[in-house]
Amino acid sequence: MFYINLRKSLIKYKFSLNDIWNFDETGFFTVQVPEHVLVKRKKQQVASVTSAERGILVTMCNAVNASRSSITLFNIFPRIHFKDYFLRHSIPGSVGTANKSGWMVESMFMEWFIPFIKSVQPSKANPVLLILDNHDTYVD
């Protein structure tokens, strides 16, 4: 059904690559664990390379269009209150918010969606297609 509706929309509106957007979220840990350690040949001992920190799972939300452009990254931190220093070494322009669970909820989707509208500037004359997965938190 999805592909039938997608085809109808593509034919009806004749979207350019700049007008087709895909939104999704993913989780990442603030502390990375290396998968491989490189050492010189014939080395008898290899030291362990690990971090003492466990890290926290942060949700990152983004939309990318078919011409490979993206809008500002939106991060959700598992905290009660958001602090600006959470984004200290983040990608320039990233924004964030906090939620006790760290996951997307409806109000946070709207926090992301309003800047998306400002950035993309859809209109009746220039519609855009925003593709979302089937997540319940986007709409009530």
Side-chain angles (χ1 to χ4, degrees), residues 25-94:
E25 69 274 312
T26 188
F28 67 93
F29 283 98
T30 57
V31 175
Q32 304 299 310
V33 178
E35 290 186 24
H36 302 284
V37 177
L38 301 175
V39 295
K40 290 183 178 180
R41 288 180 176 244
K42 298 182 183 179
K43 179 99 173 162
Q44 296 299 319
Q45 259 184 335
V46 178
S48 175
V49 179
T50 59
S51 174
E53 293 182 67
R54 288 185 40 193
I56 58 172
L57 184 67
V58 175
T59 300
M60 178 189 74
C61 309
N62 197 10
V64 178
N65 70 11
S67 65
R68 299 182 286 172
S69 295
S70 66
I71 64 165
T72 302
L73 292 178
F74 186 77
N75 299 291
I76 304 170
F77 294 87
R79 299 284 189 264
I80 294 174
H81 301 289
F82 176 77
K83 306 290 184 192
D84 289 335
Y85 66 82
F86 292 170
L87 298 171
R88 185 172 294 144
H89 297 290
S90 182
I91 294 172
S94 295

Side-chain angles (χ1 to χ4, degrees), residues 92-111:
S94 295
V95 294
T97 190
N99 175 357
K100 190 174 181 180
S101 71
W103 295 106
M104 173 70 76
V105 294
E106 182 182 352
S107 62
M108 290 179 181
F109 177 73
M110 293 310 293
E111 282 184 55

